[in-house]
Amino acid sequence: MNFLSILKDFSKGRLSWLLLLIFVIFFEACALFFQHVMMLSPCVMCIYERVAMMGVGVAAMIGLVNPNNTIIRWLGLAAWGASAYKGLALSMQHVDYQFNPSPFATCDLFVTFPSWAPLNDWAPWMFEAFGDCSKVVWQFLSLSMPQWLVVIFAGNLIALAVIVLAQFAKSKR
């Protein structure tokens, strides 16, 4: 049995999707820890990146419904890809705000969500932004928070690419 067929069989099980959801919960918990315990105010881009990460979580929940069903599995994979891609684009833009500051390229002052989903009104403790997008307020191993998000979202896209490739392998089940 080759690696891709093992990975395909793994993607057909709930454990793979549960692991993805656990990683999302971990990263969201980290964001809330930074915000409410370390008192680092999230900026507009941070909130949008948080929503993109939640999109990955929604993708994991879709896959959890019935990962053995090809349509549901592909819907989960597609949602994962769309959310991770959006998160990567937002994170890269945020890194640009931090390391190439310009008065002509700044993030919004307030988050804007659709009128049918005003997340900042529903849960301001999680979706309201008070910070400055261009300030580096935290670093780990010399990378800022948005730089780590670039790594995380890019890692998601790489993992997704391998799993999508595995969907075309012959399954041993």
Side-chain angles (χ1 to χ4, degrees), residues 146-164:
Q147 287 175 314
W148 276 110
L149 286 170
V150 167
V151 170
I152 291 164
F153 284 119
N156 268 263
L157 288 172
I158 291 167
L160 175 68
V162 173
I163 291 169
V164 166

Side-chain angles (χ1 to χ4, degrees), residues 47-57 83-84 86-87 90 153:
I47 299 300
Y48 293 156
E49 291 154 354
R50 188 177 289 181
V51 172
M53 184 65 72
M54 288 182 169
V56 175
S83 297
K86 184 63 175 177
L90 288 165
F153 284 119

Side-chain angles (χ1 to χ4, degrees), residues 114-132:
S115 60
W116 52 268
L119 299 177
N120 56 322
D121 291 338
W122 294 344
W125 58 272
M126 187 168 200
F127 297 108
E128 198 56 69
F130 305 103
D132 181 348

Side-chain angles (χ1 to χ4, degrees), residues 55-75:
V56 175
V58 169
M61 288 187 268
I62 291 169
L64 267 169
V65 170
N66 185 359
N68 209 28
N69 180 301
T70 304
I71 294 170
I72 290 176
R73 189 172 61 254
W74 276 102
L75 282 173

Side-chain angles (χ1 to χ4, degrees), residues 80-96:
W80 182 13
S83 297
Y85 177 79
K86 184 63 175 177
L88 179 61
L90 288 165
S91 300
M92 288 171 49
Q93 184 178 13
H94 193 174
V95 168
D96 191 51

Side-chain angles (χ1 to χ4, degrees), residues 13-92:
R14 284 200 165 92
L15 178 60
S16 61
W17 296 95
L18 182 61
L19 287 172
L20 180 61
L21 183 59
I22 287 169
F23 280 115
V24 169
I25 291 168
F26 170 77
F27 289 129
E28 292 292 350
C30 286
L32 292 173
F33 176 82
F34 287 131
Q35 179 178 350
H36 295 291
V37 177
M38 293 180 67
M39 306 308 282
L40 301 177
S41 297
C43 68
V44 170
M45 294 301 288
C46 297
I47 299 300
Y48 293 156
E49 291 154 354
R50 188 177 289 181
V51 172
M53 184 65 72
M54 288 182 169
V56 175
V58 169
M61 288 187 268
I62 291 169
L64 267 169
V65 170
N66 185 359
N68 209 28
N69 180 301
T70 304
I71 294 170
I72 290 176
R73 189 172 61 254
W74 276 102
L75 282 173
L77 292 170
W80 182 13
S83 297
Y85 177 79
K86 184 63 175 177
L88 179 61
L90 288 165
S91 300
M92 288 171 49

